[in-house]
Amino acid sequence: RSSDLRLQELEEERQQVQEERELLSRQKSAMKADSGAAELKLLEETEKLMKEKIEVQRQAEKTYEDLHKQVKLLESDLEEQVSRYIELEQDRNEDIADLRQKNLALEKQLDKMRKFLDEQAVDREHERDVFQQEIQKLEQQLKTPPKLQPINEQESQEVERLSNLLKEKTDKCSEFLLSKEQLLRDIHERN
């Protein structure tokens, strides 16, 4: 990796500086023995520059180490965020699949309920028609009674009973149809 390569380069530079420092130290010792003021001043200037170079090198190493730590922290943070995102995405996909299953189940239940309500409505309608025909038949008999056969009390009571029964069935049928419409509206709103 580039960070390892940079570290190796810095180590090589540090060794080179160390070698240069040792060389300067030897040169300084040799020159002090038989040097004039100008050479000593040049030697001191060179030594000062070497110290500055070493300090700059030290600062560069420290800066590199700090930056390397920051990069490591950022990499770790990024990996954690990616992992969290993947986990959230998986949870979201599971939730969507679960909702789809529930929706399918509700649609099947709704279809069954509609079918049942339609069948019930047809049955109630048929019953109402049958009773209506019976009533009309009996009413017709009352209007045109056969000769020599006056309407007796029993027939009148039967007509009244059937009329009441029809009214009751018609009311129930109307209530049932209203309930069906309300239920269908509720289901439609829920979806």
Side-chain angles (χ1 to χ4, degrees), residues 15-33 35 39-55:
Q15 288 177 356
Q16 184 182 349
V17 168
Q18 184 67 27
E19 289 169 5
E20 287 174 2
R21 183 189 277 176
E22 289 171 3
L23 178 61
L24 270 176
S25 180
R26 287 197 299 273
Q27 286 175 349
K28 184 179 175 183
S29 298
M31 287 176 74
K32 273 186 181 175
S35 297
E39 285 112 345
L40 283 174
K41 186 166 169 111
L42 181 63
L43 184 64
E44 285 172 2
E45 192 65 32
T46 305
E47 187 176 357
K48 183 181 170 189
L49 287 172
M50 281 302 296
K51 282 180 181 175
E52 286 177 3
K53 181 180 176 183
I54 290 166
E55 180 59 23

Side-chain angles (χ1 to χ4, degrees), residues 56-138:
V56 167
Q57 180 71 26
R58 192 184 66 75
Q59 286 293 334
E61 286 178 5
K62 185 176 183 306
T63 302
Y64 170 78
E65 286 173 7
D66 291 345
L67 288 172
H68 186 66
K69 284 178 186 173
Q70 287 180 18
V71 168
K72 285 288 184 190
L73 283 171
L74 288 170
E75 284 176 351
S76 174
D77 188 44
L78 180 63
E79 284 174 8
E80 189 179 327
Q81 287 184 21
V82 167
S83 175
R84 196 179 309 128
Y85 172 78
I86 290 169
E87 191 177 322
L88 287 170
E89 185 69 14
Q90 287 173 344
D91 289 346
R92 191 179 71 89
N93 289 339
E94 286 172 10
D95 288 345
I96 288 171
D98 188 41
L99 285 172
R100 280 184 182 147
Q101 288 289 339
K102 286 179 181 174
N103 196 40
L104 279 173
L106 285 172
E107 281 178 4
K108 285 181 183 175
Q109 188 178 349
L110 179 62
D111 287 342
K112 284 182 183 175
M113 195 173 288
R114 278 186 183 140
K115 189 177 175 186
F116 172 76
L117 290 173
D118 289 342
E119 288 170 357
Q120 290 293 310
V122 168
D123 289 347
R124 297 294 87 76
E125 192 69 25
H126 178 68
E127 284 177 11
R128 194 178 72 79
D129 290 344
V130 168
F131 277 109
Q132 189 68 44
Q133 287 171 9
E134 281 292 320
I135 295 236
Q136 287 172 352
K137 188 173 156 188
L138 286 168

Side-chain angles (χ1 to χ4, degrees), residues 147-158:
K147 289 182 179 179
L148 304 173
Q149 286 189 353
I151 299 170
N152 60 36
E153 185 68 23
Q154 187 179 352
E155 287 177 342
S156 293
Q157 287 175 356
E158 182 66 15

